[in-house]
Amino acid sequence: MRLTTKGRFAVTAMVDLAMNAQNNAVKLNAISERQKISLSYLEQLFSKLRRAGLVESVRGPGGGYVLGKPAGQINIAQIITAAEDRLDATQCSGKADCHGGAPCITHNLWESLNHTIHNHLSSVTLAHLIAQDQTPKEHVVTLTHIHV
């Protein structure tokens, strides 16, 4: 699976932006500090996210970035696709030429996995992730069984 740090960091940064841009634009250096992601890396990612229409830049005093759409309309697949260009489990990048110009014997398996992952990530929005983060965390008690 080729989900790189680009995709992971893009999702993390977008969740941070969605949580912190309620009334004002968010500066990338603030996201960088909170999430421990290099500022130059964030600048590259946000350039791609802006081109994809997922964020908008705000110039001037108090400038930074805001979401390009409501959090409920931005899904995780869109973010990863903007950052990575493609999330792909096949060796042939979906071209079906992985075995001497023909599909390998497991091509359909990996292609099916691609569809399953894409469908799942498309069903999860930034709003879902924010809501999960706001859900009170229950204390988990682990019991150890002693066998005699």
Side-chain angles (χ1 to χ4, degrees), residues 3-4 11-12 26 29 37 46-47 54 64 66 70-71 83 88 91 93 97 101 114 123 126 128 132-133 138 140:
L3 176 60
T4 68
V11 171
T12 298
V26 176
N29 62 353
I37 302 171
F46 272 71
S47 175
L54 301 178
V66 295
D88 187 16
Q91 289 182 345
S93 299
D97 63 356
N114 284 345
S123 73
L126 287 177
H128 287 117
Q132 284 180 344
D133 189 65
E138 295 182 20
V140 178

Short mmCIF file of all heavy atoms in Angstrom, two decimals, residues 3-4 11-12 26 29 37 46-47 54 64 66 70-71 83 88 91 93 97 101 114 123 126 128 132-133 138 140:
data_model
loop_
_atom_site.label_atom_id
_atom_site.label_comp_id
_atom_site.label_asym_id
_atom_site.label_seq_id
_atom_site.Cartn_x
_atom_site.Cartn_y
_atom_site.Cartn_z
N LEU A 3 0.39 4.47 0.95
CA LEU A 3 -0.10 5.64 1.67
C LEU A 3 1.12 6.20 2.38
O LEU A 3 1.65 5.60 3.31
CB LEU A 3 -1.19 5.27 2.68
CG LEU A 3 -1.68 6.43 3.56
CD1 LEU A 3 -2.27 7.54 2.70
CD2 LEU A 3 -2.71 5.93 4.55
N THR A 4 1.61 7.31 1.89
CA THR A 4 2.85 7.89 2.42
C THR A 4 2.53 8.93 3.48
O THR A 4 1.38 9.22 3.78
CB THR A 4 3.67 8.53 1.28
OG1 THR A 4 2.96 9.68 0.81
CG2 THR A 4 3.91 7.56 0.14
N VAL A 11 -4.10 14.67 5.95
CA VAL A 11 -5.33 14.42 6.72
C VAL A 11 -5.21 15.06 8.11
O VAL A 11 -6.13 15.74 8.58
CB VAL A 11 -5.62 12.91 6.83
CG1 VAL A 11 -6.76 12.63 7.81
CG2 VAL A 11 -5.95 12.33 5.45
N THR A 12 -4.07 14.86 8.76
CA THR A 12 -3.87 15.43 10.10
C THR A 12 -3.98 16.96 10.06
O THR A 12 -4.66 17.56 10.90
CB THR A 12 -2.47 15.03 10.64
OG1 THR A 12 -2.43 13.61 10.74
CG2 THR A 12 -2.19 15.65 11.99
N VAL A 26 -6.39 30.03 9.85
CA VAL A 26 -5.36 29.39 10.66
C VAL A 26 -4.03 29.49 9.92
O VAL A 26 -3.95 29.19 8.73
CB VAL A 26 -5.71 27.91 10.93
CG1 VAL A 26 -4.60 27.21 11.68
CG2 VAL A 26 -7.03 27.81 11.69
N ASN A 29 2.05 27.91 10.46
CA ASN A 29 3.02 27.70 11.54
C ASN A 29 2.33 27.22 12.82
O ASN A 29 2.93 26.48 13.61
CB ASN A 29 3.90 28.93 11.79
CG ASN A 29 3.14 30.14 12.22
OD1 ASN A 29 1.91 30.17 12.24
ND2 ASN A 29 3.88 31.19 12.54
N ILE A 37 4.67 18.95 12.36
CA ILE A 37 4.92 18.74 10.93
C ILE A 37 5.71 19.95 10.44
O ILE A 37 5.35 21.09 10.75
CB ILE A 37 3.59 18.62 10.14
CG1 ILE A 37 2.74 17.47 10.67
CG2 ILE A 37 3.88 18.42 8.65
CD1 ILE A 37 1.32 17.44 10.09
N PHE A 46 -0.32 22.19 1.40
CA PHE A 46 -1.43 23.13 1.27
C PHE A 46 -1.51 23.71 -0.13
O PHE A 46 -2.59 24.09 -0.58
CB PHE A 46 -1.38 24.20 2.36
CG PHE A 46 -2.10 23.77 3.61
CD1 PHE A 46 -1.58 22.78 4.42
CD2 PHE A 46 -3.33 24.33 3.94
CE1 PHE A 46 -2.25 22.36 5.55
CE2 PHE A 46 -4.02 23.91 5.07
CZ PHE A 46 -3.48 22.91 5.88
N SER A 47 -0.41 23.76 -0.83
CA SER A 47 -0.45 24.16 -2.23
C SER A 47 -1.29 23.17 -3.03
O SER A 47 -2.14 23.55 -3.84
CB SER A 47 0.97 24.24 -2.78
OG SER A 47 0.94 24.53 -4.15
N LEU A 54 -9.80 22.29 -1.66
CA LEU A 54 -10.14 21.84 -0.30
C LEU A 54 -9.84 22.90 0.74
O LEU A 54 -10.43 22.88 1.83
CB LEU A 54 -9.39 20.55 0.02
CG LEU A 54 -9.70 19.37 -0.92
CD1 LEU A 54 -8.87 18.16 -0.54
CD2 LEU A 54 -11.18 19.05 -0.91
N GLY A 64 -4.21 33.31 6.63
CA GLY A 64 -3.85 31.91 6.82
C GLY A 64 -4.69 31.08 5.88
O GLY A 64 -4.89 31.45 4.73
N VAL A 66 -8.38 28.61 5.42
CA VAL A 66 -9.70 28.15 5.86
C VAL A 66 -10.10 27.00 4.95
O VAL A 66 -9.52 26.81 3.89
CB VAL A 66 -10.77 29.27 5.80
CG1 VAL A 66 -10.46 30.39 6.78
CG2 VAL A 66 -10.91 29.82 4.39
N PRO A 70 -17.54 23.23 3.51
CA PRO A 70 -17.86 22.80 4.87
C PRO A 70 -17.21 21.44 5.19
O PRO A 70 -17.04 20.60 4.29
CB PRO A 70 -19.38 22.68 4.86
CG PRO A 70 -19.84 23.58 3.74
CD PRO A 70 -18.74 23.50 2.72
N ALA A 71 -16.86 21.24 6.44
CA ALA A 71 -16.17 20.01 6.87
C ALA A 71 -16.96 18.75 6.51
O ALA A 71 -16.37 17.70 6.25
CB ALA A 71 -15.90 20.05 8.38
N ALA A 83 -3.19 15.04 -2.02
CA ALA A 83 -1.81 15.01 -1.55
C ALA A 83 -0.96 13.96 -2.26
O ALA A 83 0.20 14.20 -2.58
CB ALA A 83 -1.78 14.75 -0.04
N ASP A 88 -3.00 3.53 -4.12
CA ASP A 88 -3.03 2.35 -4.97
C ASP A 88 -2.29 1.17 -4.34
O ASP A 88 -1.16 1.32 -3.91
CB ASP A 88 -2.41 2.70 -6.31
CG ASP A 88 -2.54 1.61 -7.35
OD1 ASP A 88 -3.36 0.70 -7.17
OD2 ASP A 88 -1.82 1.69 -8.36
N GLN A 91 0.71 -3.05 -8.17
CA GLN A 91 2.08 -2.74 -8.58
C GLN A 91 2.12 -1.99 -9.91
O GLN A 91 3.12 -1.38 -10.25
CB GLN A 91 2.90 -4.03 -8.72
CG GLN A 91 3.20 -4.69 -7.41
CD GLN A 91 4.05 -5.94 -7.60
OE1 GLN A 91 4.20 -6.45 -8.70
NE2 GLN A 91 4.62 -6.42 -6.51
N SER A 93 -0.05 0.44 -10.93
CA SER A 93 -0.80 1.71 -10.89
C SER A 93 -2.14 1.60 -11.60
O SER A 93 -2.60 2.54 -12.23
CB SER A 93 0.03 2.84 -11.49
OG SER A 93 1.21 3.03 -10.75
N ASP A 97 -0.98 -4.09 -16.35
CA ASP A 97 0.14 -4.59 -17.15
C ASP A 97 1.29 -5.05 -16.26
O ASP A 97 2.46 -4.97 -16.62
CB ASP A 97 0.62 -3.51 -18.12
CG ASP A 97 1.16 -2.27 -17.42
OD1 ASP A 97 1.12 -2.20 -16.17
OD2 ASP A 97 1.63 -1.36 -18.12
N GLY A 101 3.04 -7.09 -19.36
CA GLY A 101 2.03 -6.48 -20.22
C GLY A 101 0.62 -6.98 -19.96
O GLY A 101 -0.33 -6.48 -20.55
N ASN A 114 -8.31 -1.62 -3.53
CA ASN A 114 -8.33 -0.19 -3.85
C ASN A 114 -9.74 0.38 -3.74
O ASN A 114 -9.96 1.43 -3.15
CB ASN A 114 -7.80 0.07 -5.26
CG ASN A 114 -6.31 -0.03 -5.36
OD1 ASN A 114 -5.59 -0.01 -4.38
ND2 ASN A 114 -5.82 -0.14 -6.59
N SER A 123 -16.39 7.71 2.63
CA SER A 123 -17.53 7.78 3.55
C SER A 123 -17.21 8.52 4.84
O SER A 123 -18.10 8.79 5.64
CB SER A 123 -18.03 6.37 3.87
OG SER A 123 -17.13 5.70 4.75
N LEU A 126 -14.34 15.15 7.26
CA LEU A 126 -13.68 15.89 8.34
C LEU A 126 -14.64 16.08 9.51
O LEU A 126 -14.24 15.99 10.67
CB LEU A 126 -13.20 17.25 7.84
CG LEU A 126 -12.00 17.26 6.93
CD1 LEU A 126 -11.71 18.68 6.46
CD2 LEU A 126 -10.78 16.68 7.62
N HIS A 128 -16.95 14.08 10.51
CA HIS A 128 -16.98 12.84 11.28
C HIS A 128 -15.80 12.75 12.23
O HIS A 128 -15.94 12.39 13.39
CB HIS A 128 -16.94 11.61 10.37
CG HIS A 128 -18.19 11.35 9.62
ND1 HIS A 128 -18.24 11.38 8.24
CD2 HIS A 128 -19.44 11.04 10.02
CE1 HIS A 128 -19.46 11.12 7.84
NE2 HIS A 128 -20.22 10.92 8.90
N GLN A 132 -15.81 12.66 16.31
CA GLN A 132 -15.19 11.58 17.09
C GLN A 132 -14.23 12.15 18.13
O GLN A 132 -14.17 11.66 19.24
CB GLN A 132 -14.42 10.63 16.18
CG GLN A 132 -15.27 9.69 15.41
CD GLN A 132 -14.44 8.78 14.52
OE1 GLN A 132 -13.27 9.03 14.25
NE2 GLN A 132 -15.05 7.72 14.04
N ASP A 133 -13.49 13.17 17.76
CA ASP A 133 -12.52 13.76 18.68
C ASP A 133 -13.23 14.45 19.83
O ASP A 133 -12.70 14.53 20.92
CB ASP A 133 -11.62 14.76 17.94
CG ASP A 133 -10.48 15.22 18.82
OD1 ASP A 133 -9.64 14.36 19.16
OD2 ASP A 133 -10.44 16.42 19.18
N GLU A 138 -14.05 7.30 27.16
CA GLU A 138 -14.40 6.47 28.31
C GLU A 138 -13.13 5.87 28.88
O GLU A 138 -12.19 5.57 28.17
CB GLU A 138 -15.35 5.36 27.89
CG GLU A 138 -16.69 5.87 27.41
CD GLU A 138 -17.62 4.74 27.03
OE1 GLU A 138 -17.40 3.60 27.47
OE2 GLU A 138 -18.56 5.01 26.29
N VAL A 140 -11.08 2.98 30.11
CA VAL A 140 -11.09 1.56 29.85
C VAL A 140 -10.35 0.87 30.98
O VAL A 140 -9.21 1.21 31.29
CB VAL A 140 -10.42 1.23 28.50
CG1 VAL A 140 -10.40 -0.26 28.26
CG2 VAL A 140 -11.14 1.96 27.38
#
